[in-house]
Amino acid sequence: MKTFRVKIVAPAIATIMLLSACGDSSGSEATSEASSEVASAQLPNGMTIKEQIEARQGQLEKVGDAFKAISDQLKAGSPDIAIIQEAAAAVPEATQGMADWWPEGSGPESGVDTDALPGIWENMADFQEKVGNMQEAAANLNTAAQGGDMAAIGEAFKTTGGTCKACHDDYRLDD
């Protein structure tokens, strides 16, 4: 991922430096206007691209918060099963409809800040498979948590985390 970032960021910085050296800001204003137009484009679900990306990020933050709560409890000397159960139940709930969170045009080309890589849209079938794997693992984690067996919860948590990592490795910029 770092190689990708350098290949994209270095030319972008060079371009910005060259444009700023010219003293003509009209190009950057046009780019900013075009990005704003793309971000405000209406999707079939009634949301703008910007709203879709922000909603997606919000739901993923909920998943991250739930994972942190579970992880903290699994590391504790005396885990609180109620916290684990609540957090585990939140994951499948937060990921309902996840397969639809990445409509065409809601990637970096939108001009909206997102860690989603273009590979999502270039290989949507693989991405969707990984989303499905995560949702299935999240449901299994919830089942294990509701059962209260700490060993089963630990294994299900590890499996679910692996499905998240599989997607992040290929399709997220910052991981």
Side-chain angles (χ1 to χ4, degrees):
M1 297 300 158
K2 290 181 182 176
T3 303
F4 175 80
R5 196 175 320 166
V6 170
K7 288 180 181 176
I8 297 296
V9 173
I13 291 172
T15 302
I16 291 168
M17 289 174 52
L18 286 171
L19 288 174
S20 65
C22 294
D24 180 10
S25 64
S26 63
S28 62
E29 287 174 18
T31 301
S32 178
E33 285 178 29
S35 292
S36 180
E37 286 179 28
V38 170
S40 62
Q42 199 79 19
L43 294 168
N45 65 8
M47 298 173 88
T48 66
I49 289 175
K50 183 176 189 225
E51 291 168 339
Q52 178 67 48
I53 292 171
E54 289 172 349
R56 163 173 89 210
Q57 291 169 340
Q59 291 303 103
L60 292 170
E61 284 178 27
K62 288 179 186 179
V63 173
D65 292 346
F67 265 64
K68 182 175 181 340
I70 296 168
S71 177
D72 289 349
Q73 290 305 308
L74 290 175
K75 292 176 187 172
S78 297
D80 185 332
I81 190 66
I83 291 174
I84 292 172
Q85 288 172 329
E86 182 179 343
V91 177
E93 182 179 314
T95 61
Q96 285 181 352
M98 189 178 198
D100 299 325
W101 294 356
W102 286 267
E104 192 68 40
S106 68
E109 76 284 355
S110 69
V112 178
D113 186 31
T114 178
D115 291 336
L117 292 173
I120 292 171
W121 297 273
E122 294 165 2
N123 196 357
M124 187 56 82
D126 180 63
F127 179 75
Q128 293 292 340
E129 181 179 340
K130 287 180 174 164
V131 166
N133 292 343
M134 188 277 175
Q135 290 176 306
E136 181 179 338
N140 291 338
L141 171 61
N142 186 34
T143 299
Q146 301 317 314
D149 178 344
M150 293 306 292
I153 294 168
E155 282 302 311
F157 182 71
K158 182 179 174 182
T159 299
T160 306
T163 64
C164 291
K165 183 177 178 348
C167 208
H168 286 205
D169 284 349
D170 294 335
Y171 300 116
R172 184 170 185 223
L173 182 63
D174 283 340
D175 279 352

